[in-house]
Amino acid sequence: MVTIQIVDNIANVQETIATACVKANRNSDDVTLVAVSKQKPVDAILAAMQAGLTHFGENRVGEFTEKIPLVNNQVSRKPTWHMIGHIQSRKAKDVVPLIDYVHSIDRLKIARKLSDLAQATNKTISALVEVNASGEAAKYGFEVSGWQDNEAVKDAFWQDMRAIMELPNLEIRGLMTMAPFYDNMEDTRPIFADVAALRACLQGELDISLPDLSMGMTNDYAVAIEEGATIVRVGRAIFGNR
Ligand SMILES: *Cc1c(COP(=O)(O)O)cnc(C)c1O
């Protein structure tokens, strides 16, 4: 029963992605669906893999250190594992061996720590710099709200980005953001557009390549895709409520 529902949900999400891509004149191959499996059992992940998904997102170290090996051991081809949650410094050592893609580089200290650990194990981790573009106090991420008008905000972030880009064994591929929860999905649009503009500006001014924008969750991924998301992180629409 659960499995059938998941397969159905995935088809619906993929259709929503395709529709958003058509609307934005984008190729749906350019959008990666990360299925956020936090708080969901291994069986649900295996069902989603059988339906064709290959990217999964987790947000708690204590949870994924148990789940990821269980999944990896049962499949012929391991999925790509994404860490989407805040990482405490002392837990960084548990992230590096299991995770392929970190979305939550939310401070310089954790970037340095992950770089050091990755270097020590000869691994390169793909990573995204998380930005707080809404000014919400409860959010993690580099504070960038107002960057278009506020030189001090922009300068501080540019300096952090320069430092992060230099770290070995972290391949910085772009930015990640979370919009606040709004009843109307349209209200998220200015935030996603702002982060897309931030990426474009960084690429131009720092002469770097940032191919990825991770933005959009169950509530708002259609709008995020219209504004340029290349990775969407969808949990509830696939696995049901937590
Ligand atoms: C939980 C979570 C998601 C998925 O949220 P849903 O509403 O279940 O789609 C996406 N991104 C982050 C950072 C999350 O913590």
Side-chain angles (χ1 to χ4, degrees):
M1 281 304 282
V2 174
T3 304
I4 293 168
Q5 189 62 57
I6 288 173
V7 172
D8 225 42
N9 290 347
I10 290 170
N12 286 333
V13 169
Q14 283 169 335
E15 197 175 311
T16 303
I17 291 172
T19 304
C21 284
V22 168
K23 201 168 159 193
N25 227 326
R26 300 184 56 200
N27 188 332
S28 52
D29 290 345
D30 296 340
V31 178
T32 299
L33 171 59
V34 173
V36 176
S37 48
K38 64 188 186 193
Q39 296 172 51
K40 295 294 175 180
V42 165
D43 283 352
I45 298 172
L46 295 172
M49 286 189 76
Q50 263 171 9
L53 297 192
T54 55
H55 292 265
F56 293 87
E58 290 282 334
N59 74 335
R60 290 215 182 95
V61 173
E63 182 180 342
F64 75 63
T65 46
E66 289 186 16
K67 277 160 67 181
I68 291 179
L70 287 173
V71 172
N72 287 350
N73 288 338
Q74 288 183 64
V75 295
S76 52
R77 214 181 206 201
K78 293 183 206 171
T80 301
W81 292 103
H82 298 250
M83 173 53 171
I84 61 173
H86 175 70
I87 304 169
Q88 290 173 277
S89 295
R90 66 189 167 81
K91 298 210 172 142
K93 65 177 187 322
D94 300 323
V95 171
V96 172
L98 293 171
I99 294 291
D100 308 292
Y101 209 129
V102 174
H103 291 228
S104 42
I105 302 291
D106 56 9
R107 60 206 192 280
L108 202 45
K109 185 181 171 190
I110 201 68
R112 291 200 171 111
K113 185 110 203 183
L114 290 169
S115 168
D116 286 348
L117 289 160
Q119 218 181 350
T121 52
N122 253 321
K123 184 172 176 175
T124 293
I125 294 180
S126 297
L128 297 166
V129 174
E130 180 173 355
V131 295
N132 177 356
S134 67
E136 267 194 327
K139 287 220 169 355
Y140 288 114
F142 288 89
E143 182 54 62
V144 298
S145 59
W147 69 275
Q148 308 217 37
D149 307 308
N150 187 330
E151 279 298 321
V153 169
K154 187 179 160 187
D155 286 349
F157 185 55
W158 256 230
Q159 197 172 327
D160 287 333
M161 277 301 289
R162 282 196 187 90
I164 291 170
M165 294 301 300
E166 281 181 8
L167 296 171
N169 298 62
L170 272 192
E171 190 201 349
I172 301 297
R173 292 191 47 90
L175 304 178
M176 180 274 228
T177 203
M178 283 172 85
F181 177 82
Y182 293 120
D183 288 329
N184 181 358
M185 169 164 74
E186 272 304 317
D187 293 339
T188 61
R189 191 180 295 280
I191 290 168
F192 294 142
D194 184 58
V195 174
L198 175 62
R199 170 178 71 155
C201 190
L202 279 167
Q203 290 193 124
E205 294 190 9
L206 297 187
D207 193 24
I208 56 178
S209 166
L210 299 173
D212 281 333
L213 269 183
S214 169
M215 45 189 208
M217 322 188 352
T218 291
N219 282 318
D220 52 26
Y221 66 101
V223 166
I225 289 168
E226 287 172 30
E227 296 302 328
T230 66
I231 302 175
V232 291
R233 311 176 309 268
V234 179
R236 287 171 298 134
I238 293 173
F239 296 112
N241 286 333
R242 290 179 294 271

